[in-house]
């Protein structure tokens, strides 16, 4: 059972890893980042919603009292993360953007300590320091930031929204089905982004062309979009939930961090985006720091009012239920 869970979690991470490369193909075909995000959100939300309507309709039920929570989740945890991530990868390599976004567990630790006045375990602080040091190596801070400053700002904003994803999901509660939450989050994000994405102006004819993001290989834009919606979103989410049903949340989220490595490899193979030696070394340090921060969620917190630091984007409300509740994995 555990081996099967690890295999499913690994497959989920590999599916998520195609988000960045496929988004670049869709962008090369002529869609702006916000247009590509809207098509992904709407397409995946409708497809996943259709699957649940047939296979598990109870998952789509939304308690009326939780409507504000669903709205905040859609705007911050889905629309914010996706729009900012897609915008960032137009200026940064996919692997670097994923590394920055995966500092979100560190930002959660800081939020719990300084905003909630909680007392996370000491390991959480060690992980935060290690991740920040690794991030400094990734961006080559001694060179005055060797990467695009606006791209870095967008990537850090995506990490901040991903932090909101962790914190909101922490309070999702047992009355909400994880896949139902993801479905309504995707559809709600499509609605929220519609006024600025302007789907009525999307150049749909561009999806019938072939795209070649320099210096990458050529793919039909429709194939890239289908992979983005079906593989990198719907299948990835379903497998992520199935994996956490078989593993603990901490183990599942740790395996999910392999998305950074898989995403960088996919971008290298498909797009020719090779990471430099500092990005590789710094990336390894960032992942170690994020791992330490996530592992800290399993330690007991001495302060009675301390909040849980989720090791998974949908961590449950208490440490006692961390192992029991099935939760969805993080999204890009």
């Amino acid at each position: 059972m555990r081996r099967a869970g690890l295999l499913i979690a690994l497959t989920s991470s590999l599916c998520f890893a195609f988000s960045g490369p496929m988004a670049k193909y869709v962008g090369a075909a002529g869609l702006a980042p916000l247009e590509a995000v809207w098509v992904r959100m709407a397409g995946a939300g409708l497809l996943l919603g259709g699957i649940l309507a047939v296979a598990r309709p109870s998952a789509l039920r939304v308690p009326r009292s939780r409507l504000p929570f669903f709205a905040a989740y859609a705007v911050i945890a889905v629309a914010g993360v996706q729009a900012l991530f897609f915008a960032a990868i137009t200026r940064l390599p996919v692997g670097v953007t994923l590394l920055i976004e995966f500092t979100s567990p560190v930002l959660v630790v800081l939020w719990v300590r300084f905003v909630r006045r909680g007392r996370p375990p000491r390991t959480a602080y060690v992980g935060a320091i290690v991740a920040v040091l690794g991030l400094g190596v990734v961006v080559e801070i001694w060179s005055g930031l060797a990467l695009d400053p606006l791209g870095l700002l967008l990537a850090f904003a995506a990490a901040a929204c991903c932090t909101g994803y962790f914190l909101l999901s922490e309070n999702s509660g047992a009355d909400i089905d994880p896949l139902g939450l993801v479905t309504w989050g995707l559809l709600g994000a499509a609605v929220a982004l519609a006024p600025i994405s302007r789907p009525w102006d999307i150049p749909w004819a561009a999806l019938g062309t072939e795209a070649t993001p320099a210096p990458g290989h050529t793919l039909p834009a429709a194939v890239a979009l289908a992979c983005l919606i079906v593989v990198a979103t719907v299948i990835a989410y379903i497998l992520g939930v199935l994996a956490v049903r078989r593993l603990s949340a901490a183990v599942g989220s740790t395996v999910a961090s392999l998305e950074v490595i898989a995403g960088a490899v996919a971008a290298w193979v498909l797009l020719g985006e090779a990471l430099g030696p500092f990005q590789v070394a710094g990336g390894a340090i960032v992942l170690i720091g994020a791992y330490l921060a996530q592992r800290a969620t399993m330690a007991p917190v001495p302060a009675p009012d301390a909040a849980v630091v989720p090791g998974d984007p949908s961590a449950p409300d208490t440490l006692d239920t961390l192992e029991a509740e099935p939760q969805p994995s993080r999204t890009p």
Side-chain angles (χ1 to χ4, degrees):
M1 177 70 73
R2 184 179 178 85
R3 183 176 297 177
L6 289 171
L7 180 60
I8 294 172
L10 177 60
T11 306
S12 174
S13 297
L14 293 176
C15 290
F16 274 123
F18 282 94
S19 298
M22 293 303 103
K24 286 209 169 185
Y25 274 100
V26 174
L31 271 66
L34 285 176
E35 294 173 338
V37 169
W38 188 90
V39 174
R40 182 191 187 188
M41 299 295 95
L46 290 173
L47 181 56
L48 185 55
I51 294 173
L52 291 180
V54 174
R56 201 162 80 192
S58 61
L60 296 174
R61 294 173 186 162
V62 180
R64 184 173 299 179
S65 61
R66 305 303 298 275
L67 287 175
F69 170 81
F70 272 77
Y73 183 90
V75 173
I76 298 172
V78 182
V81 172
Q82 297 298 328
L84 291 166
F85 175 80
F86 274 44
I89 63 174
T90 63
R91 294 176 170 271
L92 297 176
V94 172
V96 172
T97 307
L98 284 171
L99 282 170
I100 294 174
E101 189 177 0
F102 262 80
T103 61
S104 51
V106 174
L107 299 180
V108 170
V109 172
L110 298 177
W111 178 276
V112 170
R113 177 63 185 91
F114 295 106
V115 178
R116 292 184 176 176
R117 303 295 181 183
R119 294 175 59 190
R122 185 175 299 176
T123 311
Y125 296 113
V126 175
I129 294 172
V130 170
V132 170
L133 291 176
L135 196 59
V137 177
V138 169
V139 301
E140 299 181 44
I141 195 168
W142 57 85
S143 306
L145 297 180
L147 300 172
D148 183 87
L150 180 56
L152 290 173
L153 181 62
L154 292 168
F156 278 113
C161 286
C162 194
T163 303
Y165 180 57
F166 275 69
L167 297 170
L168 283 168
S169 298
E170 179 187 358
N171 298 312
S172 61
D175 59 334
I176 297 177
D177 186 286
L179 282 178
L181 178 61
V182 170
T183 300
W184 290 119
L186 291 168
L187 294 174
V191 172
L193 290 173
I196 54 177
S197 297
R198 301 177 63 85
W200 49 88
D201 289 336
I202 291 177
W204 297 102
L207 298 177
T209 64
E210 293 192 338
T212 309
H217 300 287
T218 299
L219 277 180
V223 172
L225 180 62
C227 182
L228 183 63
I229 292 174
V230 178
V231 177
T233 308
V234 175
I235 294 178
Y237 272 116
I238 293 175
L239 291 179
V241 172
L242 290 176
V244 181
R245 288 184 182 274
R246 290 165 172 78
L247 304 169
S248 70
V251 172
S253 61
T254 300
V255 176
S257 66
L258 293 175
E259 178 190 341
V260 176
I261 300 173
V265 172
W268 173 55
V269 173
L270 295 171
L271 306 173
E273 291 183 353
L275 298 181
F278 290 116
Q279 277 73 54
V280 173
I285 298 173
V286 169
L287 290 179
I288 291 172
Y291 171 78
L292 291 174
Q294 289 175 341
R295 290 295 297 172
T297 64
M298 300 304 295
V301 182
D305 59 342
V308 178
V309 182
D312 178 82
S314 294
D317 293 332
T318 66
L319 286 171
D320 294 335
T321 60
L322 185 58
E323 297 287 340
E325 295 286 344
Q327 305 295 342
S329 58
R330 187 202 64 81
T331 170

